[in-house]
Amino acid sequence: MKIGVLALQGDFAEHIRMLKQLDVETVEVRLPNQLTGLDGLILPGGESTTIGKLCVDYGLLQPLQQFGQGHAMWGTCAGAILLSRDASRSQPLLGLMDIRVARNAFGRQVDSFEADLDIEPLKQATNTRAPYHAFFIRAPIIEAVEGTAQVLATLPDGRIVAAGQGKLLATSFHPELTADTRFHEYFLSLIDS
Amino acid sequence: MEQQTGTFAVKKGLAQMLKGGVIMDVVTAEHAKIAEDAGACAVMALERVPADIRVQGGVARMSDPELILKIMDTVSIPVMAKCRIGHFVEAQILESLGVDYIDESEVLTPADEAFHIYKHDFKVPFVCGCRNLGEALRRIGEGAAMIRTKGEAGTGDVVEAVRHARTVFGEIRRLQNMPDEELMTFAKEIGAPYELVKEVKELGHLPVVNFAAGGIATPADAALMMQLGVDGVFVGSGIFKSGDPAKRATAIVKATTHYRDASILAEVSRNLGEPMVGLNVSSMPESDKMAGRGW
């Protein structure tokens, strides 16, 4: 299995480190031709405006949209914003998932936080019971989940922080900043599904 | 479990999101917008860029909160601001404004010539400058969640940025080859906390994100620092003291992403207009250098 990580800006190296721990071959993707032969793609955390602009400048928007129609794709934080159809402001998006997100929804950096989440689909997929410890860094929330998209995780107050749609996955938080590989395992399981 | 804010992992986490990006000095809201549109991953809000601080002299202090708030209102990317070394009240003010990162910076006139801020006391993360591994680990020991090599700000001369990055990476390589019994003496020699020295030996890199700063003026300079191994770059005077800031800013962002692709670097380096006027660091009197500030 070969997984690409979009490496325009952000914490792509952290995702690659997690995938290597799971013995997965990885490719840094900066240009469209680097998508060839991949089984799945991760859009990392970072600044969504920066990543979106570089996608436009190097002709990646359309190839990424095409790739996401047939393959597994997972966006964390900025990556989740890119996957969304609507980010409540004008910026380049892939529009692959029927979700609406709000950027910086918890406030500024002093409001960034860590918290335990109870994520049923993750527990089932990995056959584990421990809660999932998640990092929210100037994080977006998923305001609306429409069409065939489904809610995967919420905060205790009900706000949506993870959603899935077929082989597509969006999380407000950063599994790549943890030592817990369960979310990456869950993503890999979508490729085989 | 409750939600926890201001933890070290959360502070360090924002710096991880900035990796592979360019943080640009801006002095007005209009500059901030240009920087965001060019693809900056964050902006540093300040009243004067380092090149002007050099020319105008006087005491350089924290910027007017009004200016910082205007810039925060204008852009959606993270906003950083500088306080003087050791000036913990300026830092308290910046934290209350809600800036996303504080740079305890040698570019401003130091407020304390012996001590830096105890940064663990704050919820907002700090970035600090360093010239070598010992200085980097002292700052991390005090709570810095991000490091930048200092270079020599406001010169447009990349030589000091290269010197400081090579020094840090060289010392880390040396440390990795040291037997454990030599670590305590090494820690003593470089003036660094022993526990952090041990951690760097295990990791093979600093325990926090490490950007380059001070003298980066061209796309090639940015790519040079990236190939040397830093995680991203700060560009101060290099953009808004050049002939065509928007174009140069865009080019430096592209060069930082495609830092190993010489054909893209050649393409983005074309027709950028006048670079900032440079100051040659090797012919500069010691008293004019900012990098020596920090203890």
Side-chain angles (χ1 to χ4, degrees):
Chain A
M1 195 181 324
K2 207 197 275 187
I3 304 294
V5 182
L6 192 67
L8 297 173
Q9 189 271 324
D11 69 340
F12 51 88
E14 282 77 352
H15 274 293
I16 289 170
R17 180 182 60 89
M18 294 296 267
L19 292 168
K20 284 194 172 150
Q21 276 181 42
L22 297 169
D23 290 325
V24 173
E25 193 184 339
T26 59
V27 178
E28 291 183 8
V29 175
R30 291 183 177 83
L31 295 169
N33 60 15
Q34 292 160 336
L35 289 168
T36 312
L38 298 181
D39 299 299
L41 184 75
I42 295 178
L43 312 174
E47 278 308 312
S48 63
T49 50
T50 304
I51 298 171
K53 179 178 190 303
L54 288 162
C55 278
V56 173
D57 290 348
Y58 288 94
L60 270 158
L61 274 188
Q62 219 189 356
L64 287 174
Q65 280 163 344
Q66 276 168 4
F67 186 85
Q69 274 157 18
H71 297 88
M73 211 152 153
W74 172 22
T76 59
C77 195
I81 295 168
L82 284 175
L83 278 175
S84 74
R85 217 179 42 194
D86 182 353
S88 319
R89 99 192 257 288
S90 168
Q91 66 181 75
L93 301 173
L94 298 177
L96 283 164
M97 287 181 75
D98 295 322
I99 55 173
R100 188 177 77 233
V101 301
R103 289 180 60 197
N104 305 334
F106 298 92
R108 302 198 70 95
Q109 170 62 13
V110 287
D111 306 303
S112 291
F113 63 97
E114 46 186 288
D116 280 343
L117 299 178
D118 207 35
I119 309 175
E120 262 322 304
L122 181 73
K123 289 181 178 176
Q124 279 172 20
T126 56
N127 203 17
T128 53
R129 295 182 60 189
Y132 189 81
H133 193 70
F135 291 88
F136 294 83
I137 312 286
R138 283 173 45 99
I141 55 166
I142 300 170
E143 287 188 320
V145 171
E146 289 152 355
T148 55
Q150 287 181 321
V151 176
L152 283 183
T154 60
L155 288 168
D157 63 11
R159 283 187 285 185
I160 305 164
V161 291
Q165 185 168 15
K167 292 187 176 191
L168 304 174
L169 189 58
T171 56
S172 300
F173 49 90
H174 296 280
E176 73 278 14
L177 296 186
T178 70
D180 187 341
T181 57
R182 281 182 293 165
F183 236 103
H184 287 78
E185 291 169 47
Y186 177 61
F187 173 64
L188 296 177
S189 77
L190 293 177
I191 293 167
D192 302 321
S193 66
Chain B
M1 195 189 84
E2 289 295 296
Q3 294 180 7
Q4 287 183 298
T5 56
T7 62
F8 195 68
V10 161
K11 292 175 175 178
K12 192 174 115 169
L14 178 56
Q16 288 174 279
M17 297 314 133
L18 302 175
K19 285 169 72 174
V22 183
I23 301 169
M24 301 181 192
D25 276 3
V26 297
V27 299
T28 63
E30 292 73 42
H31 279 184
K33 189 77 190 109
I34 292 170
E36 182 177 49
D37 290 345
C41 67
V43 291
M44 177 76 70
L46 69 178
E47 271 171 359
R48 295 183 286 172
V49 294
D52 287 337
I53 292 175
R54 280 189 185 285
V55 174
Q56 293 160 7
V59 176
R61 310 180 177 90
M62 175 188 82
S63 297
D64 183 341
E66 179 67 17
L67 170 78
I68 296 167
L69 288 169
K70 258 190 207 152
I71 290 172
M72 286 165 59
D73 280 346
T74 305
V75 294
S76 66
I77 56 178
V79 176
M80 301 184 165
K82 289 183 194 289
C83 73
R84 285 178 266 177
I85 289 174
H87 205 315
F88 51 86
V89 174
E90 284 187 349
Q92 290 163 5
I93 291 169
L94 293 174
E95 180 176 55
S96 85
L97 296 178
V99 302
D100 297 297
Y101 242 95
I102 295 176
D103 184 1
E104 186 185 16
S105 177
E106 72 282 2
V107 168
L108 303 185
T109 311
D112 192 321
E113 293 197 329
F115 305 108
H116 283 251
I117 296 171
Y118 186 68
K119 293 165 274 284
H120 286 297
D121 276 349
F122 291 78
K123 272 197 172 181
V124 62
F126 282 75
V127 54
C128 287
C130 78
R131 286 160 298 169
N132 52 51
L133 183 60
E135 196 173 13
L137 297 183
R138 287 194 293 280
R139 298 295 84 81
I140 296 167
E142 295 156 356
M146 178 178 184
I147 288 293
R148 54 174 176 76
T149 47
K150 285 179 176 171
E152 192 55 48
T155 61
D157 187 348
V158 80
V159 68
E160 294 300 305
V162 169
R163 186 193 320 280
H164 298 156
R166 279 202 183 276
T167 301
V168 171
F169 293 130
E171 287 174 309
I172 293 174
R173 281 191 293 270
R174 201 151 67 81
L175 173 58
Q176 283 182 283
N177 289 320
M178 260 176 221
D180 288 342
E181 68 271 20
E182 295 184 6
L183 299 189
M184 185 61 86
T185 299
F186 182 69
K188 183 181 116 187
E189 279 167 6
I190 67 170
Y194 176 64
E195 294 302 324
L196 288 174
V197 168
K198 278 204 306 189
E199 190 179 350
V200 170
K201 183 187 168 181
E202 277 159 32
L203 290 171
H205 54 79
L206 291 180
V208 301
V209 167
N210 176 24
F211 271 45
I216 295 160
T218 68
D221 289 347
L224 172 68
M225 299 315 298
M226 292 297 289
Q227 286 198 29
L228 283 173
V230 300
D231 295 319
V233 296
F234 282 88
V235 185
S237 320
I239 290 170
F240 288 99
K241 284 284 157 190
S242 73
D244 189 343
K247 195 168 181 188
R248 184 166 293 263
T250 304
I252 292 177
V253 168
K254 289 177 176 173
T256 303
T257 293
H258 297 285
Y259 66 95
R260 287 192 191 281
D261 191 328
S263 64
I264 290 182
L265 295 176
E267 180 58 37
V268 303
S269 299
R270 289 169 67 175
N271 291 317
L272 288 183
E274 282 298 304
M276 73 178 280
V277 179
L279 281 173
N280 199 321
V281 177
S282 62
S283 54
M284 183 182 276
E286 277 307 309
S287 58
D288 283 1
K289 292 183 184 170
M290 294 171 172
R293 301 163 167 178
W295 357 105

